Amino acid sequence: MSHKSAEQLNAEARKHLDALLPRKDALKPKERMAIPAQEMPAQDPAERRRNVSEVALGYSQEQARLEALRCLQCKNAPCIEGCPVRIDIPAFVKAIADGDYQKSVDIIKRNSLLPAVCGRVCPQEVQCQAPCTVGKALKDVDKAVNIGRLERYVADWERENQSFDVPAVKPETGKKVAVIGSGPASLVVAADVRREGHAVTIFEAFHKPGGVMIYGIPEFRLPKKIVQMEIDTLAAMGVELRTNYVVGRTRKLTDLMTKDGYHAIFVGTGAGLPKFMNIEGENLIGVFSANEYLTRANLMKAYEVGKADTPIMPSRKVVVLGGGNVAMDAARVALRLGAGEVHVVYRRTEVEMPARVEEVRHAKEEGIEFHLLQNAKRILGDEYGRVTGIECLRYELGEPDASGRRRPVELKGSEFMIECDAVIVAIGNDSNPLIKQTTPELNVNKWGHIIVDENGRTSIPGVYAGGDIVLGAATVILAMGQGRTAAKAINEYLAG
Ligand code: FAD
Ligand code: SF4
Ligand code: SF4
C-alpha cells in the first residue's frame, strides 16, 4: 500500500475528474471501471502510532466524486442486498457523482441513522462491497466501489456544513418508553419512537452514553465527537438521558413499567461481559480483559498522562490474545499508551482472522507483530504476582468446525515462551447478564441472549430487545437494523 499524502491523492483525483466530469453521463462501463479505486488518505504510520487522532483522514470532494463515477448504476444493485439496512446505494452514490451531497445524505438517512459511524466501522468488505459488480469484474474485492468511504464523505460533509435540522417530533402522545442502554440499537429506537411523539428516557449504566461506540471503539477509528453529535440531536428532540443508572440494580426492569409508568421498554444492553481463557495465571497483575483495557483508555481517557483517574501504566511488551476487531483495537491502543512492543497471538491464520482486513493492515503498518497458529497455554508471573511472560503452543489447521473456519489443532510438545509484562485477553464477549438475572420472566437462550420474535418482542408484553443482547457480539449496523425493527413494533404497539 502506497503512502501518498492527502494532497497528492487529491491532485491526482482532480486531474482525472477534470477530464471525466464534462462527460459523466456518457461514460461507458469500461471507462468507469478504468478509474482507479480511490485510496483513503491516512496519517503516516510512524506518527499515528503515538497519537490518538483519527487514522483515516477521509476523501476530498474530488476523490469522492471520482470514486462515485466508478459505480455502474447496476439495475439489480447487488450491493443493496449486502447492506443489512438496505440503503439505496446506487442512488446515493449517483448523487455524489452529481455533486448533490445533501440529496445523497438524505437518501442514506432514510435507512440509517448513523452514516458517519457506519461509513467508518461497517465491515463493508464482507457486506455491501462484497457483491459489488465492479469488484467482481476486476476480480478483487478491494477494487469494489468504496461505498463505506463515500457514505462517510457525505455524512461528514453534512456535519461540517451544519446543514441538518433537528428531526420533527409529532405532538406528545402521553405515552412513555424506557430505552435501556445507549448503544447504536438504543439510539435508533430512541429517535424513531420519539419522532412519533412518545416520551423517551434512555437509562445508561456508564456516565457517558454511546455504548461500545464510546467505550470500546477507539478515538483513532471513530472520533467521539461524531457519536456525541447524534446524542445531542436526540437530546434536542426531547429524549431524556439518565446516566449512571443500572437497570437490574438501580431499578428492576419490570418496576419501570409497574411502578414508574413506562408503557413500553426496549432492552439494548449489548454484549459487554468479557470471556476469559480459563488458563493458569489469568489473575496476575498485568492481565486485562480487552473490555477493561479499552474502557479505561477510551472512556476514562487513560492516555491523558497525569490527568486520568484510572491510568494504565505503560508496558514494555504487551501480548494481545485474539484475532478480532477488539484484539486489533486493544493492540493499537497499547501502542498509543506507550508500549515498546505489541504482539498479537492468534491460533489460526490471517485468512480466518475475524478482524477487518483494513484494521489488520493498519496494525501491521504501525509495527504490531503477529504470531499466527499460536496460543497461550498459561501466563507466568514473578513472586509479586506480576506478569513476566506467556507459555505458548503452536497449532496447525484441521477440518472446518461449526463456524466453517478450519479448526486449530494443537501441536503436542511445541511449547515456547514469549516474555512480556502485560497480557490483554481479547477472545470475545458474552451478553450482559444483569437484566436476565433480575428478570426471571424474560426468556433467554443457552448463551444468555434475549429471545425475540421477528419484531423484537420478548416474552414480556411491552418489552422489546435488540442489538448484541439478542445477537451476541455482532456489528453496529446489525444492532441499528434491529433497533429500527423494534422501534416500528413499539410504535405500532403504542398506537394500538
Ligand atoms: P452496545 O454498544 O454494547 O451498548 C450497550 C450499552 O448498554 C452500554 O453502553 C452499556 O453500558 C449499557 N448497559 C449494559 N447493561 C446495562 C444495564 N443493566 N442498565 C443500563 N445500561 C446498561 N462493530 C462494527 O460494526 N465495526 C467495528 O469496527 C466494531 N469494532 C468493535 C470494537 C470493539 C472494541 C468492540 C467491543 C465492539 C466492536 N464492534 C464493531 C461491535 C459493535 O460495537 C457492537 O456490535 C454494537 O455496539 C452493539 O450495539 P448495542 O446497541 O447492542 O449495544
Ligand atoms: Fe455498507 Fe454499512 Fe453503509 Fe450498509 S450501512 S451501505 S453495509 S457501509
Ligand atoms: Fe454501483 Fe457496485 Fe452497487 Fe453496481 S454493485 S450499483 S457498481 S456499488
Side-chain angles (χ1 to χ4, degrees):
M1 173 66 59
S2 72
H3 277 293
K4 292 182 183 164
S5 69
E7 291 73 27
Q8 270 173 304
L9 291 167
N10 184 43
E12 285 174 12
R14 169 89 270 157
K15 216 166 128 202
H16 264 94
L17 203 59
D18 284 346
L20 296 177
L21 261 194
R23 30 184 312 266
K24 85 180 151 54
D25 292 324
L27 283 177
K28 297 202 172 68
K30 254 190 165 170
E31 291 175 288
R32 290 183 187 271
M33 284 201 293
I35 301 171
Q38 291 302 290
E39 195 181 308
M40 178 61 110
Q43 267 199 77
D44 186 278
E47 279 171 30
R48 72 184 193 227
R49 67 201 293 273
R50 296 295 182 210
N51 71 48
V52 292
S53 306
E54 192 168 18
V55 168
L57 300 172
Y59 279 162
S60 65
Q61 194 178 124
E62 286 76 8
Q63 281 192 288
R65 286 192 79 177
L66 189 59
E67 183 65 30
L69 285 178
R70 299 181 64 232
C71 174
L72 304 176
Q73 295 293 308
C74 315
K75 286 252 157 19
N76 57 345
C79 48
I80 300 181
E81 291 297 306
C83 169
V85 295
R86 303 281 152 104
I87 291 175
D88 188 347
I89 295 166
F92 99 74
V93 173
K94 179 163 190 315
I96 297 178
D98 293 343
D100 192 344
Y101 309 121
Q102 189 59 59
K103 180 175 173 191
S104 177
V105 82
D106 288 345
I107 294 169
I108 299 172
K109 283 199 164 174
R110 279 190 227 139
N111 299 58
S112 167
L113 183 75
L114 305 170
V117 174
C118 295
R120 285 171 165 83
V121 304
C122 255
Q124 296 112 12
E125 64 281 3
V126 292
Q127 294 184 337
C128 54
Q129 290 171 201
C132 171
T133 314
V134 174
K136 293 260 183 234
L138 297 173
K139 296 190 173 52
D140 184 353
V141 71
D142 287 345
K143 297 203 172 123
V145 175
N146 279 298
I147 300 164
R149 292 174 183 176
L150 291 174
E151 185 170 325
R152 166 187 166 152
Y153 175 78
V154 280
D156 287 356
W157 174 89
E158 185 187 46
R159 198 180 58 254
E160 280 152 21
N161 288 279
Q162 293 176 326
S163 63
F164 65 86
D165 302 319
V166 176
V169 172
K170 291 187 183 162
E172 299 295 334
T173 61
K175 299 271 169 62
K176 291 189 351 173
V177 178
V179 173
I180 306 173
S182 59
S186 297
L187 298 186
V188 169
V189 172
D192 285 3
V193 170
R194 179 66 193 134
R195 259 195 283 257
E196 288 303 300
H198 308 305
V200 176
T201 309
I202 295 179
F203 296 95
E204 167 56 48
F206 275 133
H207 62 279
K208 264 196 185 166
V212 171
M213 297 183 295
I214 288 286
Y215 79 77
I217 304 179
E219 174 77 18
F220 58 80
R221 274 211 300 133
L222 178 60
K224 303 305 157 217
K225 65 174 188 214
I226 291 171
V227 183
Q228 191 56 48
M229 257 194 89
E230 299 303 336
I231 290 159
D232 292 345
T233 306
L234 287 180
M237 288 168 74
V239 171
E240 188 195 356
L241 194 69
R242 299 188 64 179
T243 48
N244 296 315
Y245 197 111
V246 187
V247 176
R249 188 142 295 143
T250 318
R251 199 93 170 121
K252 270 177 66 182
L253 178 102
T254 43
D255 285 351
L256 291 171
M257 280 174 130
T258 54
K259 296 187 179 159
D260 300 339
Y262 285 94
H263 299 92
I265 297 178
F266 175 77
V267 185
T269 44
L273 183 71
K275 287 186 195 166
F276 280 94
M277 296 187 63
N278 297 320
I279 54 173
E280 185 186 325
E282 266 182 320
N283 288 327
L284 289 166
I285 301 165
V287 181
F288 300 86
S289 72
N291 251 42
E292 179 193 346
Y293 198 83
L294 290 169
T295 305
R296 283 219 231 165
N298 295 327
L299 193 66
M300 312 301 287
K301 303 210 182 310
Y303 52 83
E304 289 187 345
V305 180
K307 282 200 242 162
D309 291 335
T310 56
I312 299 177
M313 295 308 149
S315 306
R316 215 168 20 83
K317 188 167 168 183
V318 178
V319 169
V320 179
L321 303 174
N325 283 323
V326 181
M328 296 309 119
D329 284 344
R332 297 173 71 198
V333 164
L335 206 59
R336 285 158 174 82
L337 288 176
E341 283 177 39
V342 181
H343 299 254
V344 169
V345 171
Y346 178 58
R347 62 194 184 135
R348 290 181 163 105
T349 72
E350 197 169 324
V351 178
E352 291 83 22
M353 265 195 177
R356 292 189 60 199
V357 174
E358 186 177 61
E359 302 312 325
V360 176
R361 180 168 52 76
H362 280 161
K364 284 184 181 167
E365 286 170 359
E366 289 166 12
I368 288 163
E369 288 180 42
F370 284 74
H371 301 251
L372 302 171
L373 291 170
Q374 299 174 15
N375 203 6
K377 184 179 170 193
R378 60 186 177 125
I379 305 172
L380 306 162
D382 62 15
E383 67 270 34
Y384 306 107
R386 293 200 189 100
V387 172
T388 54
I390 58 171
E391 186 179 17
C392 284
L393 275 169
R394 294 187 199 280
Y395 286 74
E396 63 182 8
L397 289 184
E399 293 303 309
D401 62 14
S403 72
R405 294 178 302 168
R406 290 178 65 194
R407 190 191 301 274
V409 182
E410 178 185 314
L411 291 176
K412 292 261 176 295
S414 63
E415 286 86 350
F416 67 99
M417 293 282 302
I418 302 180
E419 182 240 342
C420 63
D421 56 350
V423 176
I424 304 175
V425 183
I427 56 165
N429 284 322
D430 278 329
S431 54
N432 282 330
L434 187 60
I435 289 189
K436 72 175 183 234
Q437 283 164 359
T438 52
T439 321
E441 313 88 305
L442 198 60
N443 286 350
V444 296
N445 64 17
K446 64 176 176 182
W447 298 285
H449 306 158
I450 296 178
I451 299 172
V452 296
D453 69 8
E454 68 282 7
N455 296 311
R457 272 190 222 114
T458 70
S459 50
I460 307 177
V463 177
Y464 297 74
D468 281 5
I469 192 68
V470 166
L471 297 167
T475 61
V476 169
I477 190 71
L478 286 172
M480 280 176 49
Q482 287 217 319
R484 182 133 284 177
T485 305
K488 185 166 174 281
I490 292 172
N491 287 333
E492 283 165 10
Y493 172 75
L494 295 179

